[in-house]
Amino acid sequence: MTGEPPRVIRVAIADDQAVVRMGLRALLEREPGLECAGEAADGAAALALVRRTRPDVLLLDIRMPGTDGLAVLRALAGDPELRGTRVVVVTTFAVDEYVFAALQAGASGFVLKDSAPDELVNAVRVVAAGEALLSPAITRKVIGLFGRHGTEPVEGLDLLTPRERELAAWVATGRSNEEIARELVISPETVRTHVSRAMVKLRARDRAQLVVFAMRAGLTPPG
């Protein structure tokens, strides 16, 4: 009896630089289990591509002419039929206001254009699995940006238990479940359970959105 074949992750590419699109496509096509669903040179074409092909992941440049990446993110988040496509922002800049806005608009991860090929491939796989890809360096800087913008009321926050709030705060530091578990001397499964419950109560579709909620609410780990 043979099992089902591994699911192929379909990835779309949106970048206004042809050489970047060519490089990303070449990377995807030589990686087992990944498939390029198409390319787009601007935001309007990216939205049309996603609507037509429904990829699992969209590699998205933020700074494009016309309809930029932020507008694409907001359009995807606002269309229930397109929310299944996870977005990895591929940027030249480690952290700036665009990254801050992209996280708020629903990006699930960030990678730099000059990242090693295995980092880009890992980003696609992690985000396709429903996780978030936020490096500690990016997270720390984004936390600083949120701090300057101040906190605000977050709907559903009052539904969280004290433990769920604590774990949401730890997630917002950029740590993995395993790292949080070591810090709190509990099991990774316990962390995963509380984080999952917090996401359900806040209606966060992935870990990146939980980070946004925690930052907006000003949640910080005790100590």
Side-chain angles (χ1 to χ4, degrees):
M1 180 176 177
T2 59
E4 294 184 3
R7 184 176 73 90
V8 173
I9 300 172
R10 302 177 64 253
V11 187
I13 302 166
D15 195 292
D16 63 330
Q17 297 180 5
V19 67
V20 173
R21 296 197 305 275
M22 182 173 62
L24 290 173
R25 175 184 276 274
L27 174 63
L28 294 173
E29 289 180 342
R30 71 169 184 255
E31 188 67 27
L34 301 186
E35 175 183 287
C36 184
E39 301 176 21
D42 58 51
L47 283 172
L49 176 63
V50 171
R51 290 190 177 103
R52 186 174 69 254
T53 65
R54 304 296 171 88
D56 300 297
V57 177
L58 171 64
L59 296 176
L60 177 68
D61 184 21
I62 288 294
R63 295 172 176 172
M64 293 186 291
T67 304
D68 66 10
L70 291 178
V72 173
L73 276 165
R74 292 176 182 128
L76 294 178
D79 188 333
E81 294 187 0
L82 303 181
R83 289 177 189 166
T85 295
R86 308 288 182 180
V87 179
V88 176
V89 172
V90 185
T91 178
T92 307
F93 307 93
V95 173
D96 59 14
E97 291 288 341
Y98 284 92
V99 174
F100 169 74
L103 187 58
Q104 285 189 304
S108 293
F110 300 91
V111 291
L112 297 179
K113 287 186 178 180
D114 60 358
S115 295
D118 60 338
E119 290 181 32
L120 285 162
V121 169
N122 180 63
V124 169
R125 296 191 187 282
V126 167
V127 169
E131 297 293 328
L133 191 82
L134 297 168
S135 74
I138 286 180
T139 303
R140 282 193 298 270
K141 292 180 180 179
V142 172
I143 287 172
L145 289 169
F146 268 96
R148 290 206 297 272
H149 286 256
T151 61
E152 57 186 86
V154 173
E155 185 179 351
L157 190 65
D158 58 333
L159 300 177
L160 302 188
T161 66
R163 192 60 155 172
E164 289 164 356
R165 287 190 184 214
E166 180 186 10
L167 269 298
W170 278 107
V171 168
T173 66
R175 289 172 171 83
S176 67
N177 288 344
E178 289 70 22
E179 291 169 329
I180 295 170
R182 285 196 297 270
E183 190 77 32
L184 300 180
V185 196
I186 57 179
S187 72
E189 186 57 40
T190 297
V191 175
R192 191 172 296 109
T193 297
H194 287 297
V195 169
S196 297
R197 288 174 179 167
M199 288 173 59
V200 169
K201 290 178 181 179
L202 293 171
R203 298 181 181 177
R205 76 172 188 175
D206 60 24
R207 201 175 178 95
Q209 284 199 324
L210 182 60
V211 170
V212 171
F213 285 126
M215 290 178 178
R216 282 171 51 201
L219 297 180
T220 57

